[in-house]
Amino acid sequence: MAKQSVAEQYVDLLARAGVERIYGVVGDSLNPVVDAVRRHGGLDWVQVRHEEVAAFAAGAEAQLTGRLAACAGSCGPGNLHLINGLFDAHRSMAPVIALAAQIPSGEIGTGYFQETHPDRLFAECSHYSELISSPHQMPRVARTAIQHAVGRRGVSVVALSGDVADQDAPSGGTEPALPFGLPAIRPADQELARLRDLVDGAEKVTLFCGRGVAGAHAEVMAFAGKIKAPVGHALRGKEHIQYDNPYDVGMSGLLGYGAAHEAMHESDLLILLGTDFPYADFLPRNVKTVQVDIEPERLGRRTSLELAVWGDVRETLACLTPMVREKESRHFLDRMLRRHAHALEKAVGAYTHDVETLTPIHPEYVASVLDEEAADDAVFTVDTGMCCVWAARYLTPNGHRRILGSFVHGSMANALPQAIGAQFLDRGRQVVSLSGDGGFSMLMGDFLTAVQYDLPVKVVVFNNSSLGMVDLEMMVDGLPPHGTAYPRTDYAAIATAAGARGIRVDRPGALQGALREAFAHDGPALIDVVTDPDALAIPPRTTAEQVSGFALSAGRSVLTGGVGRMIHLARTNLRNIPRP
């Protein structure tokens, strides 16, 4: 059997670990790896226009499947472009392995052309970042990188010089020792007993759920039903817990709506389930709080805890629910459900009153119609900024839809790259990018990637010719908006010129037909919707202390109203309240 090169062995390891494609931009230091991909036959090279897109696309794949995904960048500037997407993948707990090609090995440390030190540069956004300086390090370093990414759910980076990649690899050892699925972590008996006592001793319990409740919907519902607890959620928990939820009281935070905030602050006991909710100002300070999380380092880092419980949500609740006493009174739950419905009833008129005839088109109306027209199993990717508001307020989860965004890292321009990764994963599934015109134009070049591979991605551009979120941030600070306006741009014409279906919508009456036309098109399509940049208002409860960091860029300008189909769920839940 002919010897493998280091590049061939690396590619073979990725294929054996389940990787189906590598996103990247080819360059001389990557040539041996790209050629190994060409000859392997078991995985593909996806040629993107910008390496940042490669990392975002790989991260989207990994988030949707939980499996390893891969990207690559050539030496120096090439792999540096990966860093923003890798930060997002790492903070989203997406298992991604990145190959950072390096300059010729004999030149490292001499200030050579394009020299950087990726093994150092990527340390902050990875669990593992190492340089392969000798063929003898293969395949152990690559196997270790794969196992870190999969086992610890995050990014691993392998730095590799082109000349080393061309050398013969040591034989054997190309089977990665991969874990299959996440472990079920059960809390200790004494922690469960203390948690039982806290629940039994509280009259009013509220559950607040994050992304960690994925796969535990039934267990959360059974627990909430037994203890008569309202259930609120963070943005990342929305897709996993809001659907089929008779205890839903909405979302807290700067994008929040409904009665989640009140339910948390008026309870005797708040239980945080699988959430690392970062905005401490929205958490109550005088309520006993318990946190359940599979990642022990997250326990108590946002608020003081009465009890920290190390365990995954599903296993913890499966153990806890039979132990607690069933509560007889629904008074607190029913009061919060009524308050939630009342809050949403008041909000509905803010986007329904004559909005079908107003121009420029109200962006909340666009999101509402999109929610109605999109497939029941659609994957939505959401730009940071006002598109986060539309996703939070209007996209209706049902247990089959998925919503991806840069919800922790808060990067601009994430939606199109993530849509590309989601669509490569499944060409038959509807993938819709909710893109702001600022975010779309930042990485617009990779719309050509969708065209090149004939990916049926649908891009809805909310085109208000401005960085709308930043406009409002400045106004809140008493500053006149400056440097935020864009000239009017016809993105539909650009899409058409690129070989895709481009549709421009400037009248609300044409929106539904445009979306249906785009969704029916067998290929990439862009719907350029001219929206009203002034159709936003600042929520009355927001304080200066609350609007900082990502909170500032993600939510200071929340709509005063508009909740899409969530009002129907709230009304249904009210109708289902038992009558005495």
PDB file of all heavy atoms in Angstrom, residues 131-159:
ATOM      1  N   LEU A 131       0.315  23.451  16.263  1.00  0.00           N
ATOM      2  CA  LEU A 131       1.075  23.418  15.014  1.00  0.00           C
ATOM      3  C   LEU A 131       1.643  22.019  14.793  1.00  0.00           C
ATOM      4  O   LEU A 131       2.248  21.440  15.696  1.00  0.00           O
ATOM      5  CB  LEU A 131       2.217  24.432  15.076  1.00  0.00           C
ATOM      6  CG  LEU A 131       3.267  24.369  13.959  1.00  0.00           C
ATOM      7  CD1 LEU A 131       2.658  24.812  12.623  1.00  0.00           C
ATOM      8  CD2 LEU A 131       4.481  25.222  14.313  1.00  0.00           C
ATOM      9  N   ILE A 132       1.437  21.479  13.598  1.00  0.00           N
ATOM     10  CA  ILE A 132       2.111  20.240  13.194  1.00  0.00           C
ATOM     11  C   ILE A 132       3.396  20.647  12.485  1.00  0.00           C
ATOM     12  O   ILE A 132       3.381  21.137  11.359  1.00  0.00           O
ATOM     13  CB  ILE A 132       1.220  19.391  12.270  1.00  0.00           C
ATOM     14  CG1 ILE A 132      -0.015  18.905  13.023  1.00  0.00           C
ATOM     15  CG2 ILE A 132       2.000  18.201  11.709  1.00  0.00           C
ATOM     16  CD1 ILE A 132      -0.961  18.084  12.176  1.00  0.00           C
ATOM     17  N   SER A 133       4.512  20.471  13.155  1.00  0.00           N
ATOM     18  CA  SER A 133       5.802  20.880  12.587  1.00  0.00           C
ATOM     19  C   SER A 133       6.587  19.705  12.038  1.00  0.00           C
ATOM     20  O   SER A 133       7.621  19.895  11.389  1.00  0.00           O
ATOM     21  CB  SER A 133       6.640  21.596  13.652  1.00  0.00           C
ATOM     22  OG  SER A 133       6.800  20.779  14.797  1.00  0.00           O
ATOM     23  N   SER A 134       6.075  18.480  12.289  1.00  0.00           N
ATOM     24  CA  SER A 134       6.757  17.280  11.825  1.00  0.00           C
ATOM     25  C   SER A 134       5.722  16.241  11.405  1.00  0.00           C
ATOM     26  O   SER A 134       4.677  16.118  12.054  1.00  0.00           O
ATOM     27  CB  SER A 134       7.637  16.700  12.939  1.00  0.00           C
ATOM     28  OG  SER A 134       8.001  15.360  12.664  1.00  0.00           O
ATOM     29  N   PRO A 135       5.977  15.489  10.341  1.00  0.00           N
ATOM     30  CA  PRO A 135       5.041  14.435   9.943  1.00  0.00           C
ATOM     31  C   PRO A 135       4.752  13.440  11.055  1.00  0.00           C
ATOM     32  O   PRO A 135       3.675  12.842  11.094  1.00  0.00           O
ATOM     33  CB  PRO A 135       5.744  13.750   8.768  1.00  0.00           C
ATOM     34  CG  PRO A 135       6.667  14.776   8.222  1.00  0.00           C
ATOM     35  CD  PRO A 135       7.130  15.579   9.414  1.00  0.00           C
ATOM     36  N   HIS A 136       5.690  13.290  11.986  1.00  0.00           N
ATOM     37  CA  HIS A 136       5.504  12.302  13.047  1.00  0.00           C
ATOM     38  C   HIS A 136       4.399  12.705  14.022  1.00  0.00           C
ATOM     39  O   HIS A 136       3.943  11.880  14.814  1.00  0.00           O
ATOM     40  CB  HIS A 136       6.825  12.098  13.803  1.00  0.00           C
ATOM     41  CG  HIS A 136       7.916  11.561  12.930  1.00  0.00           C
ATOM     42  ND1 HIS A 136       7.904  10.272  12.440  1.00  0.00           N
ATOM     43  CD2 HIS A 136       9.036  12.146  12.427  1.00  0.00           C
ATOM     44  CE1 HIS A 136       8.981  10.078  11.683  1.00  0.00           C
ATOM     45  NE2 HIS A 136       9.673  11.204  11.667  1.00  0.00           N
ATOM     46  N   GLN A 137       3.978  13.971  13.974  1.00  0.00           N
ATOM     47  CA  GLN A 137       2.869  14.400  14.831  1.00  0.00           C
ATOM     48  C   GLN A 137       1.514  13.959  14.276  1.00  0.00           C
ATOM     49  O   GLN A 137       0.513  14.003  14.993  1.00  0.00           O
ATOM     50  CB  GLN A 137       2.879  15.921  14.994  1.00  0.00           C
ATOM     51  CG  GLN A 137       4.060  16.451  15.787  1.00  0.00           C
ATOM     52  CD  GLN A 137       4.070  17.964  15.798  1.00  0.00           C
ATOM     53  OE1 GLN A 137       4.746  18.598  15.009  1.00  0.00           O
ATOM     54  NE2 GLN A 137       3.295  18.544  16.701  1.00  0.00           N
ATOM     55  N   MET A 138       1.506  13.605  13.004  1.00  0.00           N
ATOM     56  CA  MET A 138       0.280  13.069  12.419  1.00  0.00           C
ATOM     57  C   MET A 138       0.263  11.562  12.667  1.00  0.00           C
ATOM     58  O   MET A 138       1.304  10.919  12.598  1.00  0.00           O
ATOM     59  CB  MET A 138       0.243  13.337  10.919  1.00  0.00           C
ATOM     60  CG  MET A 138      -0.224  14.730  10.571  1.00  0.00           C
ATOM     61  SD  MET A 138      -1.986  14.989  10.877  1.00  0.00           S
ATOM     62  CE  MET A 138      -2.703  13.984   9.563  1.00  0.00           C
ATOM     63  N   PRO A 139      -0.881  10.963  12.946  1.00  0.00           N
ATOM     64  CA  PRO A 139      -2.200  11.607  13.024  1.00  0.00           C
ATOM     65  C   PRO A 139      -2.625  12.001  14.431  1.00  0.00           C
ATOM     66  O   PRO A 139      -3.765  12.405  14.628  1.00  0.00           O
ATOM     67  CB  PRO A 139      -3.103  10.513  12.494  1.00  0.00           C
ATOM     68  CG  PRO A 139      -2.473   9.259  13.009  1.00  0.00           C
ATOM     69  CD  PRO A 139      -0.982   9.494  13.001  1.00  0.00           C
ATOM     70  N   ARG A 140      -1.694  11.927  15.407  1.00  0.00           N
ATOM     71  CA  ARG A 140      -2.138  12.127  16.783  1.00  0.00           C
ATOM     72  C   ARG A 140      -2.680  13.533  17.030  1.00  0.00           C
ATOM     73  O   ARG A 140      -3.687  13.703  17.720  1.00  0.00           O
ATOM     74  CB  ARG A 140      -0.999  11.819  17.751  1.00  0.00           C
ATOM     75  CG  ARG A 140      -0.717  10.322  17.912  1.00  0.00           C
ATOM     76  CD  ARG A 140       0.249  10.076  19.037  1.00  0.00           C
ATOM     77  NE  ARG A 140       1.535  10.718  18.776  1.00  0.00           N
ATOM     78  CZ  ARG A 140       2.481  10.922  19.689  1.00  0.00           C
ATOM     79  NH1 ARG A 140       2.251  10.544  20.939  1.00  0.00           N
ATOM     80  NH2 ARG A 140       3.619  11.497  19.381  1.00  0.00           N
ATOM     81  N   VAL A 141      -2.010  14.552  16.482  1.00  0.00           N
ATOM     82  CA  VAL A 141      -2.483  15.916  16.686  1.00  0.00           C
ATOM     83  C   VAL A 141      -3.853  16.111  16.044  1.00  0.00           C
ATOM     84  O   VAL A 141      -4.762  16.701  16.639  1.00  0.00           O
ATOM     85  CB  VAL A 141      -1.462  16.935  16.143  1.00  0.00           C
ATOM     86  CG1 VAL A 141      -2.082  18.327  16.056  1.00  0.00           C
ATOM     87  CG2 VAL A 141      -0.227  16.976  17.034  1.00  0.00           C
ATOM     88  N   ALA A 142      -4.007  15.594  14.829  1.00  0.00           N
ATOM     89  CA  ALA A 142      -5.302  15.734  14.157  1.00  0.00           C
ATOM     90  C   ALA A 142      -6.399  14.991  14.910  1.00  0.00           C
ATOM     91  O   ALA A 142      -7.519  15.497  15.060  1.00  0.00           O
ATOM     92  CB  ALA A 142      -5.205  15.231  12.720  1.00  0.00           C
ATOM     93  N   ARG A 143      -6.110  13.791  15.386  1.00  0.00           N
ATOM     94  CA  ARG A 143      -7.096  13.047  16.172  1.00  0.00           C
ATOM     95  C   ARG A 143      -7.466  13.798  17.449  1.00  0.00           C
ATOM     96  O   ARG A 143      -8.630  13.888  17.828  1.00  0.00           O
ATOM     97  CB  ARG A 143      -6.565  11.664  16.542  1.00  0.00           C
ATOM     98  CG  ARG A 143      -6.612  10.639  15.430  1.00  0.00           C
ATOM     99  CD  ARG A 143      -6.667   9.228  16.005  1.00  0.00           C
ATOM    100  NE  ARG A 143      -5.676   9.009  17.056  1.00  0.00           N
ATOM    101  CZ  ARG A 143      -4.462   8.521  16.867  1.00  0.00           C
ATOM    102  NH1 ARG A 143      -4.083   8.184  15.641  1.00  0.00           N
ATOM    103  NH2 ARG A 143      -3.631   8.349  17.866  1.00  0.00           N
ATOM    104  N   THR A 144      -6.461  14.355  18.106  1.00  0.00           N
ATOM    105  CA  THR A 144      -6.714  15.109  19.333  1.00  0.00           C
ATOM    106  C   THR A 144      -7.570  16.334  19.049  1.00  0.00           C
ATOM    107  O   THR A 144      -8.480  16.673  19.820  1.00  0.00           O
ATOM    108  CB  THR A 144      -5.386  15.530  19.979  1.00  0.00           C
ATOM    109  OG1 THR A 144      -4.588  14.368  20.228  1.00  0.00           O
ATOM    110  CG2 THR A 144      -5.622  16.260  21.291  1.00  0.00           C
ATOM    111  N   ALA A 145      -7.294  16.996  17.936  1.00  0.00           N
ATOM    112  CA  ALA A 145      -8.085  18.170  17.556  1.00  0.00           C
ATOM    113  C   ALA A 145      -9.542  17.785  17.309  1.00  0.00           C
ATOM    114  O   ALA A 145     -10.476  18.468  17.763  1.00  0.00           O
ATOM    115  CB  ALA A 145      -7.491  18.830  16.320  1.00  0.00           C
ATOM    116  N   ILE A 146      -9.734  16.698  16.602  1.00  0.00           N
ATOM    117  CA  ILE A 146     -11.104  16.230  16.321  1.00  0.00           C
ATOM    118  C   ILE A 146     -11.837  15.912  17.624  1.00  0.00           C
ATOM    119  O   ILE A 146     -12.994  16.300  17.822  1.00  0.00           O
ATOM    120  CB  ILE A 146     -11.060  15.003  15.397  1.00  0.00           C
ATOM    121  CG1 ILE A 146     -10.611  15.411  13.987  1.00  0.00           C
ATOM    122  CG2 ILE A 146     -12.424  14.320  15.333  1.00  0.00           C
ATOM    123  CD1 ILE A 146     -10.286  14.236  13.083  1.00  0.00           C
ATOM    124  N   GLN A 147     -11.170  15.233  18.518  1.00  0.00           N
ATOM    125  CA  GLN A 147     -11.817  14.820  19.764  1.00  0.00           C
ATOM    126  C   GLN A 147     -12.124  16.011  20.670  1.00  0.00           C
ATOM    127  O   GLN A 147     -13.142  16.031  21.353  1.00  0.00           O
ATOM    128  CB  GLN A 147     -10.953  13.780  20.474  1.00  0.00           C
ATOM    129  CG  GLN A 147     -10.970  12.443  19.754  1.00  0.00           C
ATOM    130  CD  GLN A 147      -9.916  11.464  20.239  1.00  0.00           C
ATOM    131  OE1 GLN A 147      -9.307  10.756  19.448  1.00  0.00           O
ATOM    132  NE2 GLN A 147      -9.703  11.430  21.547  1.00  0.00           N
ATOM    133  N   HIS A 148     -11.261  17.028  20.648  1.00  0.00           N
ATOM    134  CA  HIS A 148     -11.563  18.242  21.408  1.00  0.00           C
ATOM    135  C   HIS A 148     -12.811  18.924  20.847  1.00  0.00           C
ATOM    136  O   HIS A 148     -13.685  19.363  21.605  1.00  0.00           O
ATOM    137  CB  HIS A 148     -10.379  19.212  21.353  1.00  0.00           C
ATOM    138  CG  HIS A 148      -9.379  19.015  22.438  1.00  0.00           C
ATOM    139  ND1 HIS A 148      -8.467  17.989  22.433  1.00  0.00           N
ATOM    140  CD2 HIS A 148      -9.147  19.716  23.587  1.00  0.00           C
ATOM    141  CE1 HIS A 148      -7.707  18.068  23.517  1.00  0.00           C
ATOM    142  NE2 HIS A 148      -8.098  19.102  24.237  1.00  0.00           N
ATOM    143  N   ALA A 149     -12.884  19.047  19.529  1.00  0.00           N
ATOM    144  CA  ALA A 149     -14.015  19.747  18.911  1.00  0.00           C
ATOM    145  C   ALA A 149     -15.321  19.015  19.182  1.00  0.00           C
ATOM    146  O   ALA A 149     -16.327  19.632  19.544  1.00  0.00           O
ATOM    147  CB  ALA A 149     -13.789  19.892  17.404  1.00  0.00           C
ATOM    148  N   VAL A 150     -15.321  17.707  19.023  1.00  0.00           N
ATOM    149  CA  VAL A 150     -16.550  16.930  19.196  1.00  0.00           C
ATOM    150  C   VAL A 150     -16.880  16.762  20.678  1.00  0.00           C
ATOM    151  O   VAL A 150     -18.023  16.964  21.104  1.00  0.00           O
ATOM    152  CB  VAL A 150     -16.410  15.555  18.514  1.00  0.00           C
ATOM    153  CG1 VAL A 150     -17.623  14.687  18.809  1.00  0.00           C
ATOM    154  CG2 VAL A 150     -16.237  15.733  17.010  1.00  0.00           C
ATOM    155  N   GLY A 151     -15.895  16.387  21.468  1.00  0.00           N
ATOM    156  CA  GLY A 151     -16.146  16.084  22.868  1.00  0.00           C
ATOM    157  C   GLY A 151     -16.456  17.304  23.711  1.00  0.00           C
ATOM    158  O   GLY A 151     -17.305  17.254  24.596  1.00  0.00           O
ATOM    159  N   ARG A 152     -15.778  18.429  23.422  1.00  0.00           N
ATOM    160  CA  ARG A 152     -15.997  19.629  24.224  1.00  0.00           C
ATOM    161  C   ARG A 152     -16.913  20.625  23.523  1.00  0.00           C
ATOM    162  O   ARG A 152     -17.179  21.685  24.052  1.00  0.00           O
ATOM    163  CB  ARG A 152     -14.656  20.272  24.566  1.00  0.00           C
ATOM    164  CG  ARG A 152     -13.756  19.372  25.405  1.00  0.00           C
ATOM    165  CD  ARG A 152     -12.507  20.089  25.874  1.00  0.00           C
ATOM    166  NE  ARG A 152     -12.826  21.212  26.751  1.00  0.00           N
ATOM    167  CZ  ARG A 152     -11.917  22.065  27.223  1.00  0.00           C
ATOM    168  NH1 ARG A 152     -10.639  21.922  26.867  1.00  0.00           N
ATOM    169  NH2 ARG A 152     -12.277  23.061  28.007  1.00  0.00           N
ATOM    170  N   ARG A 153     -17.368  20.291  22.325  1.00  0.00           N
ATOM    171  CA  ARG A 153     -18.322  21.108  21.567  1.00  0.00           C
ATOM    172  C   ARG A 153     -17.795  22.531  21.368  1.00  0.00           C
ATOM    173  O   ARG A 153     -18.179  23.474  22.048  1.00  0.00           O
ATOM    174  CB  ARG A 153     -19.680  21.119  22.262  1.00  0.00           C
ATOM    175  CG  ARG A 153     -20.349  19.765  22.263  1.00  0.00           C
ATOM    176  CD  ARG A 153     -21.719  19.825  22.878  1.00  0.00           C
ATOM    177  NE  ARG A 153     -21.668  20.197  24.287  1.00  0.00           N
ATOM    178  CZ  ARG A 153     -22.721  20.546  25.020  1.00  0.00           C
ATOM    179  NH1 ARG A 153     -23.910  20.596  24.466  1.00  0.00           N
ATOM    180  NH2 ARG A 153     -22.591  20.840  26.286  1.00  0.00           N
ATOM    181  N   GLY A 154     -16.921  22.639  20.398  1.00  0.00           N
ATOM    182  CA  GLY A 154     -16.331  23.930  20.081  1.00  0.00           C
ATOM    183  C   GLY A 154     -15.338  23.784  18.954  1.00  0.00           C
ATOM    184  O   GLY A 154     -15.379  22.825  18.171  1.00  0.00           O
ATOM    185  N   VAL A 155     -14.413  24.703  18.865  1.00  0.00           N
ATOM    186  CA  VAL A 155     -13.479  24.781  17.740  1.00  0.00           C
ATOM    187  C   VAL A 155     -12.145  24.162  18.104  1.00  0.00           C
ATOM    188  O   VAL A 155     -11.662  24.292  19.233  1.00  0.00           O
ATOM    189  CB  VAL A 155     -13.289  26.259  17.315  1.00  0.00           C
ATOM    190  CG1 VAL A 155     -12.137  26.408  16.331  1.00  0.00           C
ATOM    191  CG2 VAL A 155     -14.591  26.800  16.703  1.00  0.00           C
ATOM    192  N   SER A 156     -11.552  23.479  17.137  1.00  0.00           N
ATOM    193  CA  SER A 156     -10.149  23.078  17.181  1.00  0.00           C
ATOM    194  C   SER A 156      -9.456  23.611  15.938  1.00  0.00           C
ATOM    195  O   SER A 156     -10.064  23.686  14.870  1.00  0.00           O
ATOM    196  CB  SER A 156      -9.997  21.553  17.222  1.00  0.00           C
ATOM    197  OG  SER A 156     -10.323  21.028  18.480  1.00  0.00           O
ATOM    198  N   VAL A 157      -8.199  23.987  16.095  1.00  0.00           N
ATOM    199  CA  VAL A 157      -7.419  24.538  14.976  1.00  0.00           C
ATOM    200  C   VAL A 157      -6.128  23.740  14.840  1.00  0.00           C
ATOM    201  O   VAL A 157      -5.421  23.508  15.828  1.00  0.00           O
ATOM    202  CB  VAL A 157      -7.104  26.026  15.192  1.00  0.00           C
ATOM    203  CG1 VAL A 157      -6.274  26.568  14.023  1.00  0.00           C
ATOM    204  CG2 VAL A 157      -8.390  26.836  15.339  1.00  0.00           C
ATOM    205  N   VAL A 158      -5.846  23.324  13.620  1.00  0.00           N
ATOM    206  CA  VAL A 158      -4.585  22.655  13.292  1.00  0.00           C
ATOM    207  C   VAL A 158      -3.824  23.550  12.327  1.00  0.00           C
ATOM    208  O   VAL A 158      -4.334  23.884  11.251  1.00  0.00           O
ATOM    209  CB  VAL A 158      -4.820  21.269  12.659  1.00  0.00           C
ATOM    210  CG1 VAL A 158      -3.496  20.671  12.186  1.00  0.00           C
ATOM    211  CG2 VAL A 158      -5.503  20.336  13.655  1.00  0.00           C
ATOM    212  N   ALA A 159      -2.635  23.960  12.704  1.00  0.00           N
ATOM    213  CA  ALA A 159      -1.764  24.737  11.822  1.00  0.00           C
ATOM    214  C   ALA A 159      -0.794  23.791  11.130  1.00  0.00           C
ATOM    215  O   ALA A 159      -0.215  22.907  11.779  1.00  0.00           O
ATOM    216  CB  ALA A 159      -1.008  25.803  12.609  1.00  0.00           C
TER     217      ALA A 159
END
